[in-house]
Amino acid sequence: MNIAVFASGRGSNFAALARAMKKGKIQANLSLLVCDNPKASVIGRARRAGIRVALVKREDFATRNDFEQKIIQHLEENDIGLIVLAGFMRILGPDLVIRYKDRILNIHPALLPAFKGAHAIKDAFDYGVKVTGVSVHFVDEKMDHGPIILQAPVEIEETDTLESLEARIHKVEHKIYPKAIKLFIEGKLKLEGRKIRIIQ
Ligand code: GRF
């Protein structure tokens, strides 16, 4: 199966996934990076790894729908079976979500449904929770909402700064995301309404 990663920024999750695939841990091809930000460092990572880059800028299109149609064209040309969102800073519209229903994953740096949104690590840190973490979930029409595949807790220590917490969260992300993608690729995720059963 061909996988497309959507990312807008640094791309550490993209790199972790590329490493897992190179080591043969996941039986699929990371064939495409879809990026909406020409300045994102994930682009350089993809080029160095020899992975095709589709740079699709929102400002080049009159409407969100036109922008997404262009993305869909790239996905179809590359015969993509799974979309992996990894720091893609846009909400997907209904066309894409419906067309790739149950084939879009996202990673969120908090224990959903707590701390949805773009600043989850800081929000959890500022709130003063003792435990936060990482969630991998299917994407539906609502932000940070679809069925949860895997979660992992991360304890917040009294000595933590926002930076040290971010670093630990990212480390956990880089383990849990390849694991969830592997389960998907191996057909081990059984959707039962909102709940997901992992077939052993
Ligand atoms: C990650 O923290 C992810 O959970 C969130 O965006 C961040 C992307 O980081 N959705 P990177 O670009 O993969 O380094």
Side-chain angles (χ1 to χ4, degrees):
M1 185 186 294
N2 294 328
I3 299 178
V5 172
F6 285 28
S8 306
R10 189 172 59 144
S12 69
N13 280 284
F14 172 86
L17 184 56
R19 271 198 306 275
M21 313 241 333
K22 204 170 167 195
K23 285 188 190 155
K25 289 189 180 165
I26 302 170
Q27 294 302 311
N29 313 308
L30 179 41
S31 7
L32 185 68
L33 169 71
V34 174
C35 182
D36 61 333
N37 171 14
K39 296 196 182 124
S41 45
V42 68
I43 294 176
R45 292 188 196 261
R47 296 223 162 105
R48 285 193 294 280
I51 294 164
R52 188 171 303 149
V53 177
L55 178 61
V56 189
K57 292 188 280 173
R58 173 67 183 85
E59 59 269 29
D60 289 346
F61 300 88
T63 65
R64 179 171 85 174
N65 191 48
D66 293 346
F67 166 70
E68 292 201 347
Q69 292 310 319
K70 184 70 194 172
I71 293 178
I72 290 172
Q73 190 188 324
H74 284 293
L75 298 176
E76 290 184 344
E77 278 168 13
N78 288 277
D79 193 21
I80 297 300
L82 173 67
I83 296 172
V84 170
L85 305 184
F88 191 61
M89 299 311 285
R90 288 179 187 281
I91 309 233
L92 301 186
D95 263 20
L96 239 166
V97 172
I98 290 165
R99 190 175 303 225
Y100 289 88
K101 192 173 174 344
D102 303 336
R103 292 187 294 153
I104 310 177
L105 307 186
N106 184 41
I107 189 157
H108 183 74
L111 293 176
L112 289 172
F115 304 113
K116 295 179 178 179
H119 309 287
I121 305 178
K122 183 172 190 306
D123 292 346
F125 184 75
D126 290 347
Y127 195 92
V129 293
K130 305 287 187 194
V131 182
T132 182
V134 175
S135 306
V136 179
H137 64 94
F138 280 105
V139 170
D140 64 11
E141 307 74 32
K142 296 188 202 149
M143 188 181 65
D144 300 330
H145 175 266
I148 291 170
I149 299 168
L150 292 177
Q151 288 187 304
V154 173
E155 285 191 25
I156 302 181
E157 313 290 345
E158 280 175 13
T159 51
D160 261 324
T161 59
L162 177 59
E163 291 69 33
S164 65
L165 176 63
E166 279 171 348
R168 280 213 313 292
I169 294 234
H170 292 314
K171 223 169 155 183
V172 171
E173 287 186 324
H174 301 161
K175 283 201 189 125
I176 198 177
Y177 216 2
K179 203 167 154 188
I181 291 162
K182 185 176 163 71
L183 289 170
F184 178 92
I185 295 292
E186 292 176 352
K188 290 187 174 163
L189 300 178
K190 195 157 184 315
L191 259 162
E192 292 171 351
R194 259 211 73 85
K195 293 190 186 153
I196 293 177
R197 197 151 54 85
I198 298 176
I199 303 162
Q200 297 304 334

PDB file of all heavy atoms in Angstrom, residues 110-128:
ATOM      1  N   ALA A 110      -1.709  15.076  22.944  1.00  0.00           N
ATOM      2  CA  ALA A 110      -2.413  15.111  24.241  1.00  0.00           C
ATOM      3  C   ALA A 110      -3.299  13.875  24.298  1.00  0.00           C
ATOM      4  O   ALA A 110      -3.458  13.173  23.287  1.00  0.00           O
ATOM      5  CB  ALA A 110      -3.259  16.375  24.369  1.00  0.00           C
ATOM      6  N   LEU A 111      -3.860  13.636  25.473  1.00  0.00           N
ATOM      7  CA  LEU A 111      -4.763  12.493  25.618  1.00  0.00           C
ATOM      8  C   LEU A 111      -6.176  12.962  25.281  1.00  0.00           C
ATOM      9  O   LEU A 111      -6.878  13.515  26.135  1.00  0.00           O
ATOM     10  CB  LEU A 111      -4.689  11.939  27.048  1.00  0.00           C
ATOM     11  CG  LEU A 111      -3.346  11.286  27.427  1.00  0.00           C
ATOM     12  CD1 LEU A 111      -3.368  10.863  28.896  1.00  0.00           C
ATOM     13  CD2 LEU A 111      -3.030  10.095  26.534  1.00  0.00           C
ATOM     14  N   LEU A 112      -6.590  12.737  24.051  1.00  0.00           N
ATOM     15  CA  LEU A 112      -7.929  13.170  23.625  1.00  0.00           C
ATOM     16  C   LEU A 112      -8.989  12.448  24.454  1.00  0.00           C
ATOM     17  O   LEU A 112      -8.765  11.306  24.849  1.00  0.00           O
ATOM     18  CB  LEU A 112      -8.108  12.876  22.129  1.00  0.00           C
ATOM     19  CG  LEU A 112      -7.282  13.761  21.203  1.00  0.00           C
ATOM     20  CD1 LEU A 112      -7.374  13.266  19.753  1.00  0.00           C
ATOM     21  CD2 LEU A 112      -7.736  15.224  21.294  1.00  0.00           C
ATOM     22  N   PRO A 113     -10.128  13.056  24.729  1.00  0.00           N
ATOM     23  CA  PRO A 113     -10.590  14.335  24.173  1.00  0.00           C
ATOM     24  C   PRO A 113     -10.076  15.573  24.911  1.00  0.00           C
ATOM     25  O   PRO A 113     -10.600  16.668  24.666  1.00  0.00           O
ATOM     26  CB  PRO A 113     -12.114  14.225  24.293  1.00  0.00           C
ATOM     27  CG  PRO A 113     -12.318  13.377  25.493  1.00  0.00           C
ATOM     28  CD  PRO A 113     -11.181  12.408  25.532  1.00  0.00           C
ATOM     29  N   ALA A 114      -9.089  15.452  25.780  1.00  0.00           N
ATOM     30  CA  ALA A 114      -8.565  16.646  26.452  1.00  0.00           C
ATOM     31  C   ALA A 114      -7.625  17.409  25.518  1.00  0.00           C
ATOM     32  O   ALA A 114      -6.929  16.798  24.707  1.00  0.00           O
ATOM     33  CB  ALA A 114      -7.810  16.238  27.715  1.00  0.00           C
ATOM     34  N   PHE A 115      -7.610  18.701  25.657  1.00  0.00           N
ATOM     35  CA  PHE A 115      -6.645  19.576  24.989  1.00  0.00           C
ATOM     36  C   PHE A 115      -6.594  19.379  23.468  1.00  0.00           C
ATOM     37  O   PHE A 115      -5.552  19.077  22.899  1.00  0.00           O
ATOM     38  CB  PHE A 115      -5.255  19.411  25.627  1.00  0.00           C
ATOM     39  CG  PHE A 115      -5.275  19.662  27.102  1.00  0.00           C
ATOM     40  CD1 PHE A 115      -5.043  18.629  28.001  1.00  0.00           C
ATOM     41  CD2 PHE A 115      -5.579  20.922  27.595  1.00  0.00           C
ATOM     42  CE1 PHE A 115      -5.100  18.855  29.369  1.00  0.00           C
ATOM     43  CE2 PHE A 115      -5.630  21.158  28.970  1.00  0.00           C
ATOM     44  CZ  PHE A 115      -5.390  20.114  29.851  1.00  0.00           C
ATOM     45  N   LYS A 116      -7.748  19.518  22.844  1.00  0.00           N
ATOM     46  CA  LYS A 116      -7.792  19.545  21.375  1.00  0.00           C
ATOM     47  C   LYS A 116      -7.140  20.823  20.884  1.00  0.00           C
ATOM     48  O   LYS A 116      -6.948  21.759  21.675  1.00  0.00           O
ATOM     49  CB  LYS A 116      -9.247  19.518  20.900  1.00  0.00           C
ATOM     50  CG  LYS A 116      -9.955  18.228  21.259  1.00  0.00           C
ATOM     51  CD  LYS A 116     -11.389  18.250  20.790  1.00  0.00           C
ATOM     52  CE  LYS A 116     -12.034  16.917  21.131  1.00  0.00           C
ATOM     53  NZ  LYS A 116     -13.416  16.833  20.750  1.00  0.00           N
ATOM     54  N   GLY A 117      -6.856  20.893  19.592  1.00  0.00           N
ATOM     55  CA  GLY A 117      -6.369  22.151  19.019  1.00  0.00           C
ATOM     56  C   GLY A 117      -4.873  22.187  18.806  1.00  0.00           C
ATOM     57  O   GLY A 117      -4.163  21.222  19.063  1.00  0.00           O
ATOM     58  N   ALA A 118      -4.422  23.343  18.339  1.00  0.00           N
ATOM     59  CA  ALA A 118      -3.061  23.470  17.810  1.00  0.00           C
ATOM     60  C   ALA A 118      -1.989  23.663  18.883  1.00  0.00           C
ATOM     61  O   ALA A 118      -0.806  23.619  18.582  1.00  0.00           O
ATOM     62  CB  ALA A 118      -3.010  24.626  16.820  1.00  0.00           C
ATOM     63  N   HIS A 119      -2.391  23.882  20.167  1.00  0.00           N
ATOM     64  CA  HIS A 119      -1.372  24.160  21.201  1.00  0.00           C
ATOM     65  C   HIS A 119      -1.522  23.199  22.371  1.00  0.00           C
ATOM     66  O   HIS A 119      -1.453  23.591  23.535  1.00  0.00           O
ATOM     67  CB  HIS A 119      -1.505  25.616  21.686  1.00  0.00           C
ATOM     68  CG  HIS A 119      -1.539  26.585  20.549  1.00  0.00           C
ATOM     69  ND1 HIS A 119      -0.417  26.883  19.823  1.00  0.00           N
ATOM     70  CD2 HIS A 119      -2.558  27.268  19.978  1.00  0.00           C
ATOM     71  CE1 HIS A 119      -0.749  27.739  18.858  1.00  0.00           C
ATOM     72  NE2 HIS A 119      -2.037  27.979  18.930  1.00  0.00           N
ATOM     73  N   ALA A 120      -1.736  21.933  22.038  1.00  0.00           N
ATOM     74  CA  ALA A 120      -2.123  20.962  23.069  1.00  0.00           C
ATOM     75  C   ALA A 120      -1.070  20.792  24.154  1.00  0.00           C
ATOM     76  O   ALA A 120      -1.415  20.667  25.337  1.00  0.00           O
ATOM     77  CB  ALA A 120      -2.408  19.622  22.399  1.00  0.00           C
ATOM     78  N   ILE A 121       0.201  20.787  23.789  1.00  0.00           N
ATOM     79  CA  ILE A 121       1.241  20.522  24.803  1.00  0.00           C
ATOM     80  C   ILE A 121       1.279  21.692  25.794  1.00  0.00           C
ATOM     81  O   ILE A 121       1.262  21.503  27.003  1.00  0.00           O
ATOM     82  CB  ILE A 121       2.622  20.295  24.149  1.00  0.00           C
ATOM     83  CG1 ILE A 121       2.541  19.174  23.102  1.00  0.00           C
ATOM     84  CG2 ILE A 121       3.669  19.975  25.219  1.00  0.00           C
ATOM     85  CD1 ILE A 121       3.836  18.899  22.348  1.00  0.00           C
ATOM     86  N   LYS A 122       1.278  22.887  25.257  1.00  0.00           N
ATOM     87  CA  LYS A 122       1.313  24.084  26.117  1.00  0.00           C
ATOM     88  C   LYS A 122       0.041  24.176  26.960  1.00  0.00           C
ATOM     89  O   LYS A 122       0.092  24.501  28.152  1.00  0.00           O
ATOM     90  CB  LYS A 122       1.486  25.343  25.246  1.00  0.00           C
ATOM     91  CG  LYS A 122       1.596  26.609  26.061  1.00  0.00           C
ATOM     92  CD  LYS A 122       1.960  27.802  25.212  1.00  0.00           C
ATOM     93  CE  LYS A 122       2.298  29.013  26.063  1.00  0.00           C
ATOM     94  NZ  LYS A 122       1.309  29.401  27.036  1.00  0.00           N
ATOM     95  N   ASP A 123      -1.092  23.879  26.339  1.00  0.00           N
ATOM     96  CA  ASP A 123      -2.360  23.965  27.066  1.00  0.00           C
ATOM     97  C   ASP A 123      -2.363  23.007  28.257  1.00  0.00           C
ATOM     98  O   ASP A 123      -2.799  23.365  29.354  1.00  0.00           O
ATOM     99  CB  ASP A 123      -3.548  23.666  26.136  1.00  0.00           C
ATOM    100  CG  ASP A 123      -3.745  24.758  25.088  1.00  0.00           C
ATOM    101  OD1 ASP A 123      -3.155  25.850  25.248  1.00  0.00           O
ATOM    102  OD2 ASP A 123      -4.458  24.516  24.100  1.00  0.00           O
ATOM    103  N   ALA A 124      -1.870  21.785  28.040  1.00  0.00           N
ATOM    104  CA  ALA A 124      -1.835  20.798  29.127  1.00  0.00           C
ATOM    105  C   ALA A 124      -0.841  21.244  30.198  1.00  0.00           C
ATOM    106  O   ALA A 124      -1.125  21.159  31.403  1.00  0.00           O
ATOM    107  CB  ALA A 124      -1.455  19.425  28.580  1.00  0.00           C
ATOM    108  N   PHE A 125       0.299  21.748  29.757  1.00  0.00           N
ATOM    109  CA  PHE A 125       1.339  22.202  30.690  1.00  0.00           C
ATOM    110  C   PHE A 125       0.807  23.352  31.554  1.00  0.00           C
ATOM    111  O   PHE A 125       0.899  23.327  32.776  1.00  0.00           O
ATOM    112  CB  PHE A 125       2.572  22.631  29.886  1.00  0.00           C
ATOM    113  CG  PHE A 125       3.746  23.029  30.733  1.00  0.00           C
ATOM    114  CD1 PHE A 125       4.511  22.070  31.378  1.00  0.00           C
ATOM    115  CD2 PHE A 125       4.097  24.362  30.878  1.00  0.00           C
ATOM    116  CE1 PHE A 125       5.604  22.428  32.161  1.00  0.00           C
ATOM    117  CE2 PHE A 125       5.180  24.737  31.665  1.00  0.00           C
ATOM    118  CZ  PHE A 125       5.936  23.759  32.305  1.00  0.00           C
ATOM    119  N   ASP A 126       0.200  24.343  30.904  1.00  0.00           N
ATOM    120  CA  ASP A 126      -0.314  25.512  31.622  1.00  0.00           C
ATOM    121  C   ASP A 126      -1.478  25.158  32.546  1.00  0.00           C
ATOM    122  O   ASP A 126      -1.669  25.785  33.585  1.00  0.00           O
ATOM    123  CB  ASP A 126      -0.777  26.593  30.629  1.00  0.00           C
ATOM    124  CG  ASP A 126       0.396  27.243  29.897  1.00  0.00           C
ATOM    125  OD1 ASP A 126       1.554  27.028  30.335  1.00  0.00           O
ATOM    126  OD2 ASP A 126       0.163  27.939  28.888  1.00  0.00           O
ATOM    127  N   TYR A 127      -2.250  24.150  32.151  1.00  0.00           N
ATOM    128  CA  TYR A 127      -3.405  23.755  32.970  1.00  0.00           C
ATOM    129  C   TYR A 127      -2.953  23.126  34.273  1.00  0.00           C
ATOM    130  O   TYR A 127      -3.644  23.161  35.289  1.00  0.00           O
ATOM    131  CB  TYR A 127      -4.253  22.754  32.176  1.00  0.00           C
ATOM    132  CG  TYR A 127      -5.627  22.542  32.741  1.00  0.00           C
ATOM    133  CD1 TYR A 127      -6.711  23.295  32.301  1.00  0.00           C
ATOM    134  CD2 TYR A 127      -5.844  21.582  33.731  1.00  0.00           C
ATOM    135  CE1 TYR A 127      -7.977  23.108  32.828  1.00  0.00           C
ATOM    136  CE2 TYR A 127      -7.109  21.383  34.268  1.00  0.00           C
ATOM    137  CZ  TYR A 127      -8.169  22.162  33.803  1.00  0.00           C
ATOM    138  OH  TYR A 127      -9.426  21.974  34.324  1.00  0.00           O
ATOM    139  N   GLY A 128      -1.759  22.515  34.226  1.00  0.00           N
ATOM    140  CA  GLY A 128      -1.220  21.900  35.438  1.00  0.00           C
ATOM    141  C   GLY A 128      -1.605  20.442  35.609  1.00  0.00           C
ATOM    142  O   GLY A 128      -1.553  19.921  36.728  1.00  0.00           O
TER     143      GLY A 128
END
